[in-house]
Amino acid sequence: MRCVIARFPFDLTKSGVVASMKGIKPEPITGESVLIGRRHYPVKQVGEVVTRQDRRDFSAQEVSRAMTRLGFTCQALPEPEPALTPLETASALLGVSALA
């Protein structure tokens, strides 16, 4: 499938992407990720390996769009849970409702 990433056309296949990522250790995920095989990789890492370009040259959205079109599952980083106040934390530890 022809994909344009960082203004350059690439002919990517699902099996080609899997082969390119074989043996590559996933970096810690801090943003969007893509599931390749049984591993979650940062989208920018996949883009860098597959296109052989510096990851500053393309956006995560460009790579996510291409990976989704190839049939991979892409995920955004989940929103963090709101932090508990010290009172709510203490109440949770004691098993008491902070609202009572």
Side-chain angles (χ1 to χ4, degrees):
M1 167 182 296
R2 186 169 209 86
C3 301
V4 177
I5 299 173
R7 299 183 319 266
F8 292 101
F10 294 94
D11 288 318
L12 301 176
T13 62
K14 187 169 185 171
S15 60
V17 172
V18 171
S20 295
M21 296 308 293
K22 188 173 184 172
I24 306 277
K25 183 179 177 188
E27 296 173 358
I29 296 173
T30 58
E32 295 181 43
S33 66
V34 59
L35 178 65
I36 299 176
R38 291 181 286 163
R39 294 181 172 196
H40 287 273
Y41 292 90
V43 170
K44 291 281 223 169
Q45 181 184 13
V46 173
E48 184 176 50
V49 170
V50 170
T51 65
R52 296 185 185 102
Q53 294 182 342
D54 189 285
R55 58 181 75 187
R56 294 174 290 182
D57 293 340
F58 53 83
S59 69
Q61 289 80 18
E62 289 177 291
V63 179
S64 291
R65 192 175 322 115
M67 295 298 114
T68 301
R69 286 179 56 202
L70 287 172
F72 292 104
T73 302
C74 296
Q75 297 177 335
L77 189 64
E79 292 294 322
E81 297 277 331
L84 297 177
T85 65
L87 175 63
E88 291 170 333
T89 302
S91 297
L93 290 172
L94 293 173
V96 180
S97 174
L99 302 175

